[in-house]
Amino acid sequence: MVPFLVHGRSMEDEARDILRVALARDDHDGRSLIEAIRARVEPPDGVELNIPPREAIRSVPGLEE
């Protein structure tokens, strides 16, 4: 089997190089992972959601003892 070549090397070598370059960058901004995720997914204006209270678990029909 002939390996698929990207830039004259195998896909595995290409993937390793991409990871090596990405992990070597020093663009850390001092935030924790959770802060970075929250900043990305949190709405900019903040939204208040009305979350209803949880109800008790219903029993499955036909499985009562």
Side-chain angles (χ1 to χ4, degrees), residues 5-62:
L5 300 179
V6 178
H7 298 132
R9 57 186 172 209
S10 71
M11 287 182 61
E12 179 182 355
D13 285 340
E14 182 72 10
R16 287 176 188 263
D17 190 51
I18 291 169
L19 287 171
R20 190 177 302 110
V21 169
L23 294 173
R25 292 187 349 200
D26 188 23
D27 57 358
H28 181 65
D29 60 1
R31 294 185 298 179
S32 70
L33 177 60
I34 189 68
E35 290 169 337
I37 293 171
R38 184 172 287 134
R40 183 168 282 223
V41 299
E42 189 173 68
D45 296 331
V47 175
E48 295 293 326
L49 299 176
N50 184 13
I51 300 174
R54 298 185 93 179
E55 298 176 1
I57 298 175
R58 296 178 293 167
S59 60
V60 180

